[in-house]
Amino acid sequence: MAEPGPAFDVDDPVLARAAWSRIAEPGDQVAGALVTHLGAGDALAWLYDAASGTSPVVPRRLEQHPERPSVGRVQRAVERWRGRLATLDPGRELRALDRLGGALLVPGDPRWPTAVDDLGDAAPLALWVRGETDLGDLARRSVALVGARACTEYGRHVAADLASGLVDRRFTIVSGGAYGIDAAAHRGAIAARGRTVAFLAGGVDRLYPAGNTDLLQAVLDEGSIVSEVPPGSVPSRVRFLQRNRLIAAFSRATVVVEAAWRSGALSTATHASALLRPVGAVPGPVTSMASGGCHQLLREAKAVCVTDADEAAELAGDVGTDAPTPRAGRPAPQDDLDELGRRLWDALPLRAHAAVDSVARAAGLGLDETLGGLGHLELAGLAEQSGGRWRRAARPPQRVGSTARWG
């Protein structure tokens, strides 16, 4: 029996993407590939034909494409999508969002957070938003603070303190709206009168969990609530895990505040690391199982140690501008550098290695003096190279010493 055709205009890019966000589960890479290569409207028109048996399993325009999904993957995808076509009504869901004062963002909208496009075929097909709709602006200076729901008072205090300090440094606080560390991070941002974003695993019409309804209402006043599934969608374990990839992609850096060895919050750190986003972890008492996941990240060198807002800001911020403030009794490693040395130190990236010419441009120096200066920084333990590309040393010495001069 042929599937009925769509009851809406599939050529409308907003309606088409809204429809796909209902059809496909978050992170569905087959749907992402089809929408990327065909466009949301053409991919949707093909799906109706494929579901009714009047179109080839793989769209003709993709048959020779080297990166197209396999026939088997597409066949399985059509079967799991088929059941949602009969009741598909994106216009109704958009009207429900409009009644809530929200907006649907799609790629190409100037408010779209382009950082999430780094997820490739697993990128969100659309984002349903309530509160502040300019997610691109909110993402520009942002830090994700994540952790376990079953947190300790220590973790709650640290999360709120980090959020408040980062707000003072003009960062948006990003988390998942859940109990525990998430809630403490959102509350810390709100108390500091800062901006915060909560990514939900269900629709934005369902402020979940119910015990955080008042908190999520406050988030709406100070920032945004975001989901990649339409209003009326219910949270599920898989959607919670997929939600974590959005938090990691959206944010400039992720800090795990407190998490046990098997905490779901560690999946956010894993996604961030895969996307080459900086990851930090807050150490806890060595006797606390609630910090076991953080200690594991640190032990395996998957995260850097974060103990205060300065260090979190350094992970996510701009080189030089967001460097930690030296503390009494803890001199900064670059204190004894001369002007040339400090300019090179400021220009070096924290994680990814950069080419010499890129460092030279950032420092405003010539190639010869840059190469010579980088050599001195390497000897001083402040810089390291890999394949001719440079970054700051992972563990610089506390003090360079008065002999580190370039003049």
Side-chain angles (χ1 to χ4, degrees), residues 115-189:
V116 301
D117 297 338
D118 291 347
L119 290 166
D121 288 342
L125 298 166
L127 291 172
W128 303 78
V129 187
R130 290 177 64 189
E132 171 57 54
T133 59
D134 192 345
L135 296 185
D137 182 57
L138 288 167
R140 200 159 290 120
R141 280 178 66 84
S142 58
V143 178
L145 298 180
V146 299
R149 291 170 174 80
C151 68
T152 66
E153 191 56 40
Y154 163 80
R156 211 172 346 257
H157 171 78
V158 172
D161 193 56
L162 285 175
S164 177
L166 286 164
V167 163
D168 290 343
R169 292 159 179 79
R170 298 177 292 105
F171 284 93
T172 300
I173 304 304
V174 184
S175 202
Y179 296 129
I181 296 300
D182 288 14
H186 291 306
R187 287 193 179 98

Side-chain angles (χ1 to χ4, degrees), residues 143-164 167 173-192 194-200 207-220 222 225 240 243-244 247 255 257-258 265:
V143 178
L145 298 180
V146 299
R149 291 170 174 80
C151 68
T152 66
E153 191 56 40
Y154 163 80
R156 211 172 346 257
H157 171 78
V158 172
D161 193 56
L162 285 175
S164 177
V167 163
I173 304 304
V174 184
S175 202
Y179 296 129
I181 296 300
D182 288 14
H186 291 306
R187 287 193 179 98
I190 292 167
R195 302 194 297 176
T196 183
V197 177
F199 280 90
L200 303 187
L207 299 185
Y208 183 89
N212 279 352
T213 297
D214 290 345
L215 171 62
L216 293 172
Q217 287 286 0
V219 169
L220 284 173
E222 303 294 341
I225 288 178
F240 276 115
R243 180 272 312 270
N244 291 344
I247 293 174
V255 176
V257 179
E258 190 177 51

Side-chain angles (χ1 to χ4, degrees), residues 1-21:
M1 180 178 176
E3 295 289 334
F8 58 93
D9 182 6
V10 298
D11 292 326
D12 183 314
V14 173
L15 283 173
R17 283 199 174 253
W20 272 110
S21 74

Side-chain angles (χ1 to χ4, degrees), residues 71-359:
V71 172
R73 288 183 70 197
V74 176
Q75 284 178 322
R76 291 189 294 273
V78 171
E79 286 308 307
R80 65 174 178 262
W81 297 335
R82 186 193 306 274
R84 295 182 176 177
L85 293 179
T87 58
L88 200 58
D89 189 353
R92 179 186 61 209
E93 291 166 339
L94 285 168
R95 289 190 295 273
L97 182 66
D98 186 60
R99 287 193 294 272
L100 294 169
L104 181 71
L105 302 188
V106 300
D109 189 306
R111 301 167 295 176
W112 180 260
T114 55
V116 301
D117 297 338
D118 291 347
L119 290 166
D121 288 342
L125 298 166
L127 291 172
W128 303 78
V129 187
R130 290 177 64 189
E132 171 57 54
T133 59
D134 192 345
L135 296 185
D137 182 57
L138 288 167
R140 200 159 290 120
R141 280 178 66 84
S142 58
V143 178
L145 298 180
V146 299
R149 291 170 174 80
C151 68
T152 66
E153 191 56 40
Y154 163 80
R156 211 172 346 257
H157 171 78
V158 172
D161 193 56
L162 285 175
S164 177
L166 286 164
V167 163
D168 290 343
R169 292 159 179 79
R170 298 177 292 105
F171 284 93
T172 300
I173 304 304
V174 184
S175 202
Y179 296 129
I181 296 300
D182 288 14
H186 291 306
R187 287 193 179 98
I190 292 167
R193 304 184 66 81
R195 302 194 297 176
T196 183
V197 177
F199 280 90
L200 303 187
V204 294
D205 58 327
R206 298 169 180 254
L207 299 185
Y208 183 89
N212 279 352
T213 297
D214 290 345
L215 171 62
L216 293 172
Q217 287 286 0
V219 169
L220 284 173
D221 294 333
E222 303 294 341
S224 302
I225 288 178
V226 186
S227 177
E228 59 182 319
V229 292
S233 302
V234 297
S236 67
R237 176 172 174 76
V238 172
R239 287 176 177 176
F240 276 115
L241 291 173
Q242 289 295 334
R243 180 272 312 270
N244 291 344
R245 87 193 194 288
L246 285 188
I247 293 174
F250 182 91
S251 307
R252 292 277 298 271
T254 293
V255 176
V256 184
V257 179
E258 190 177 51
W261 285 0
R262 296 178 62 83
S263 170
L266 298 181
S267 73
T268 309
T270 299
H271 285 299
S273 181
L275 292 166
L276 303 181
R277 305 282 200 273
V279 177
V282 176
V286 295
T287 55
S288 174
M289 293 180 63
S291 291
C294 294
H295 297 158
Q296 181 182 0
L297 289 172
L298 294 170
R299 187 171 58 253
E300 296 176 353
K302 294 179 179 177
V304 299
C305 182
V306 169
T307 63
D308 60 21
D310 270 342
E311 292 171 353
E314 184 183 24
L315 278 182
D318 300 319
V319 173
T321 305
D322 293 297
T325 303
R327 303 174 188 170
R330 191 183 75 177
Q334 71 274 28
D335 280 354
D336 289 319
L337 300 178
D338 64 5
E339 181 183 355
L340 174 60
R342 285 194 297 272
R343 286 171 67 179
L344 283 173
W345 166 265
D346 288 343
L348 283 172
L350 294 170
R351 290 178 65 84
H353 292 75
V356 174
D357 58 349
S358 176
V359 176

